[in-house]
Amino acid sequence: MAKRYLPAILSLTGSLLLWAAWPTSPLTFLIFIAFIPLFRLADIVENRARFFGSAFLLLFCWNVATTWWVGNTTVPASGVAANLLNTLFMLVPVMGYRRTRKWVSPTLAYFTFIVYWMTFEYIHLHWELSWPWLTLGNAFAMHPNWVQWYEYTGVSGGTLWILATNLAIYHVWFQYKFYRKPIIPQIWKPVLILAIPLGISAVINTNLSFPAKGAQTQVVIVQPNIDPYDKFADENEALEVNKMLQLTTSQIDTQTSFIVWPETALFVHGAWENKLTYEDYTQKIRLLLQQYPQATLVSGAVTLKRYNQNEEIPSSARRNADGDMIYDVFNAGVQIDTSNVVEVYHKSKLVPGVELIPYVHYLSFMNSLALDFGGISGSYGRSPGVELMENKATQVKIFPTICYESVYGEFVAEHVRKGANILFIMTNDGWWGNTEGHRQHLQYARLRAIETRRWVARSANTGISAIINKKGEIVASLPYWQEGVLKANVTASTYLTFYVKYGDLLSKAAVLFCILLILYSYFLRLTRKRITNTL
């Protein structure tokens, strides 16, 4: 009887361990054994369909337990769909491992699992169905002192560490269980795999591996605490902008270089980009900044761009009711100072199903299915805006990361490589209520600080606004559902980490190995077929 239910027990145990290890749980260390039930399933379940079902149960329960809050919106079915799709994507490397282990040695099979999973994570970061929230390396977000070496590897190094440790521990147990090999002579391998990264991180954490000095820049961060389901109402817009101006005025001084407002704080119903400088709210902000000419305001906004008929029209473009105007809507960041120029950055990493209908250029009829979270529904535009923003008085450059973009390490590193001295995150995390969603999002920002060695200034509408230093430490924050202002001096840096210079080399190596493994498998099948035909 116990043997009959063992696959289900293993599936539920694996999902429980993965959930318990994920931020913001304090049980992060469980991640180093959380994949062992999955490896055991691959060993004991011979039937392909039954293994698929057992692995599906494990991964689906993990997804639901960890990111159930995705469905905590006006459209609860969106959460089920997201969890279901992500589970199916995760099953691809798992089923690939099960197939490969039948024709290679156990050691090589373990290697293929790492390669397949890291390839999956890399692809999942770069296609239009991207949902990298559960990238394994994110598990250490609450323990930056464990992963200071992310400045060399990015989060893919964490994925490799987790999988290698799980496999090493499982291999020791397997050898003991079925071959009666003593544990003590073998245990040094998983201990070494676990300990070496921790030791490296401890050395780096002495702050000797990167410059500690740089230009001090005063940043004022506003958290207005506006209900995201109310903020797009016509009658609320002026009140909301005035509220943010009042909060800003309470802390700004002559030393302030940047003021940061959250995602979609301005022009919530859309404003034409060629007329932004003449908008009433732009003029109000400039009146304030004239008293503090060194200051620049960076804010989230909704902007509009019109296309002429002779221009190349992107698939995200839409037409007005009369059909005589083609335009794009952008989830944008704007920079306003005392000049007559308003710089605009366009968010390019869009949330599937909310801000982007995946591959709509092939399936244009699906554009009407985009979820409406208030304001403007449908796919947002992704044509390039400015890449960085610069305070002309201090010559400090910032990258205005918008919400979901802050989960993409290599994307952020690319903009640091182009000259960003500080990272800003403008977000609106209140859509999912007081759940793990906004807390996990904050923690992931700590990893971007380590990868790039940049200070992070995070402005959340209804989330957690924070200041994060280069070591990934949260030095100041505002609680969820509380309006307020943070003022702090952050250090602008020009130092480029190995990860910023060269990108995610580990994942790219995994993709290369994956291609070679697939080619090798086809070669073996062809060779065996020829031998069989000869006999």
Side-chain angles (χ1 to χ4, degrees):
M1 184 68 71
K3 188 174 181 180
R4 180 182 177 185
Y5 292 106
L6 183 57
I9 293 171
L10 287 170
S11 296
L12 295 175
T13 301
S15 59
L16 181 64
L17 288 170
L18 286 163
W19 165 73
W22 210 255
T24 55
S25 165
L27 305 176
T28 308
F29 62 90
L30 293 176
I31 199 70
F32 294 114
I33 60 170
F35 274 83
I36 289 176
L38 181 62
F39 301 142
R40 189 69 189 132
L41 280 172
D43 280 342
I44 67 171
V45 181
E46 293 293 333
N47 182 273
R48 185 173 183 272
R50 194 178 183 199
F51 175 76
F52 180 92
S54 299
F56 177 88
L57 178 63
L58 188 157
L59 296 171
F60 184 69
C61 288
W62 172 35
N63 273 266
V64 171
T66 311
T67 59
W68 62 270
W69 46 265
V70 174
N72 194 31
T73 66
T74 55
V75 190
S78 64
V80 177
N83 292 142
L84 178 60
L85 280 174
N86 207 51
T87 299
L88 293 174
F89 298 148
M90 286 180 168
L91 279 168
V92 173
V94 172
M95 297 304 292
Y97 163 70
R98 181 187 180 275
R99 180 183 179 88
T100 303
R101 64 188 291 279
K102 293 182 177 181
W103 50 266
V104 299
S105 67
T107 302
L108 183 56
Y110 294 158
F111 174 73
T112 63
F113 183 83
I114 293 174
V115 166
Y116 291 158
W117 190 275
M118 292 184 69
T119 299
F120 149 70
E121 287 193 346
Y122 186 74
I123 293 172
H124 211 22
L125 280 165
H126 290 87
W127 68 334
E128 290 189 5
L129 285 164
S130 180
W131 177 245
W133 207 267
L134 296 183
T135 297
L136 292 181
N138 290 340
F140 302 115
M142 293 181 65
H143 300 279
N145 55 315
W146 294 8
V147 289
Q148 290 297 314
W149 41 271
Y150 273 17
E151 69 165 285
Y152 295 97
T153 69
V155 294
S156 62
T159 296
L160 175 59
W161 189 27
I162 289 168
L163 295 180
T165 305
N166 273 271
L167 286 164
I169 293 173
Y170 179 68
H171 182 71
V172 169
W173 175 85
F174 188 89
Q175 293 294 310
Y176 169 75
K177 179 74 174 178
F178 297 99
Y179 297 101
R180 295 303 174 187
K181 292 186 178 181
I183 289 179
I184 300 302
Q186 300 183 75
I187 199 67
W188 66 269
K189 294 177 183 177
V191 169
L192 207 60
I193 293 172
L194 187 61
I196 287 177
L198 291 172
I200 293 172
S201 189
V203 172
I204 296 175
N205 207 33
T206 61
N207 206 29
L208 297 177
S209 61
F210 60 92
K213 296 181 180 180
Q216 291 291 300
T217 303
Q218 189 186 99
V219 178
V220 170
I221 299 170
V222 174
Q223 179 169 296
N225 194 39
I226 298 167
D227 189 322
Y229 292 98
D230 293 336
K231 78 186 298 286
F232 291 95
D234 291 338
E235 65 273 15
N236 292 339
E237 185 175 6
L239 295 174
E240 291 160 2
V241 173
N242 288 335
K243 179 180 185 180
M244 287 182 284
L245 283 168
Q246 290 170 4
L247 289 169
T248 301
T249 303
S250 70
Q251 291 293 330
I252 191 173
D253 60 41
T254 56
Q255 301 302 311
T256 302
S257 295
F258 287 101
I259 305 147
V260 193
W261 287 3
E263 181 183 17
T264 62
L266 287 173
F267 319 126
V268 294
H269 300 289
W272 296 105
E273 291 187 356
N274 61 335
K275 298 179 180 179
L276 289 180
T277 193
Y278 308 111
E279 288 285 336
D280 289 342
Y281 298 135
T282 305
Q283 298 301 321
K284 282 188 174 183
I285 291 166
R286 284 200 175 121
L287 281 175
L288 171 64
L289 295 180
Q290 284 173 4
Q291 303 171 54
Y292 309 96
Q294 182 172 290
T296 291
L297 183 136
V298 177
S299 174
V302 179
T303 63
L304 311 171
K305 180 180 179 180
R306 184 171 181 173
Y307 299 104
N308 297 320
Q309 293 288 350
N310 58 352
E311 289 183 276
E312 183 178 351
I313 308 299
S315 59
S316 58
R318 57 190 80 190
R319 292 179 180 270
N320 65 347
D322 297 330
D324 58 355
M325 182 172 66
I326 305 172
Y327 66 101
D328 247 331
V329 183
F330 298 97
N331 188 346
V334 297
Q335 175 177 278
I336 301 173
D337 54 23
T338 54
S339 72
N340 288 323
V341 177
V342 177
E343 292 188 342
V344 184
Y345 165 78
H346 295 155
K347 181 181 181 182
S348 63
K349 296 293 185 182
L350 302 176
V351 182
V354 178
E355 301 174 320
L356 170 72
I357 295 300
Y359 302 106
V360 71
H361 40 291
Y362 301 116
L363 304 168
S364 58
F365 70 91
M366 292 183 65
N367 201 35
S368 60
L369 300 180
L371 302 181
D372 185 0
F373 279 165
I376 300 171
S377 63
S379 289
Y380 282 97
R382 289 192 293 173
S383 62
V386 299
E387 293 184 326
L388 302 174
M389 294 175 175
E390 181 180 5
N391 182 308
K392 302 301 187 297
T394 62
Q395 296 184 321
V396 171
K397 296 179 181 179
I398 62 97
F399 175 41
T401 319
I402 299 176
C403 190
Y404 186 55
E405 291 183 318
S406 65
V407 186
Y408 292 82
E410 198 169 24
F411 173 74
V412 174
E414 176 187 343
H415 287 81
V416 172
R417 185 164 62 248
K418 292 176 179 177
N421 309 122
I422 304 170
L423 301 178
F424 287 176
I425 297 175
M426 301 174 292
T427 188
N428 187 9
D429 292 339
W431 296 113
W432 297 280
N434 191 12
T435 66
E436 287 304 302
H438 75 270
R439 289 186 280 272
Q440 290 169 355
H441 197 196
L442 166 69
Q443 298 299 325
Y444 294 167
R446 305 172 76 176
L447 303 178
R448 304 293 83 80
I450 297 170
E451 290 167 345
T452 62
R453 296 303 180 191
R454 294 293 184 271
W455 282 70
V456 177
R458 188 177 195 271
S459 174
N461 172 35
T462 51
I464 303 175
S465 297
I467 297 289
I468 303 170
N469 69 17
K470 297 178 185 181
K471 296 170 69 175
E473 299 166 335
I474 299 174
V475 297
S477 65
L478 288 170
Y480 177 82
W481 210 254
Q482 177 179 308
E483 73 173 55
V485 184
L486 284 177
K487 180 163 71 173
N489 288 323
V490 302
T491 305
S493 177
T494 58
Y495 172 71
L496 300 183
T497 66
F498 183 91
Y499 181 73
V500 168
K501 288 180 181 178
Y502 303 107
D504 189 358
L505 295 182
L506 283 179
S507 291
K508 291 168 185 173
V511 172
L512 177 60
F513 278 118
C514 184
I515 294 171
L516 292 175
L517 283 168
I518 292 171
L519 292 174
Y520 180 56
S521 69
Y522 278 110
F523 171 76
L524 285 181
R525 288 177 63 187
L526 183 62
T527 303
R528 289 173 181 173
K529 187 175 181 180
R530 285 178 178 175
I531 293 173
T532 302
N533 291 339
T534 302
L535 295 175

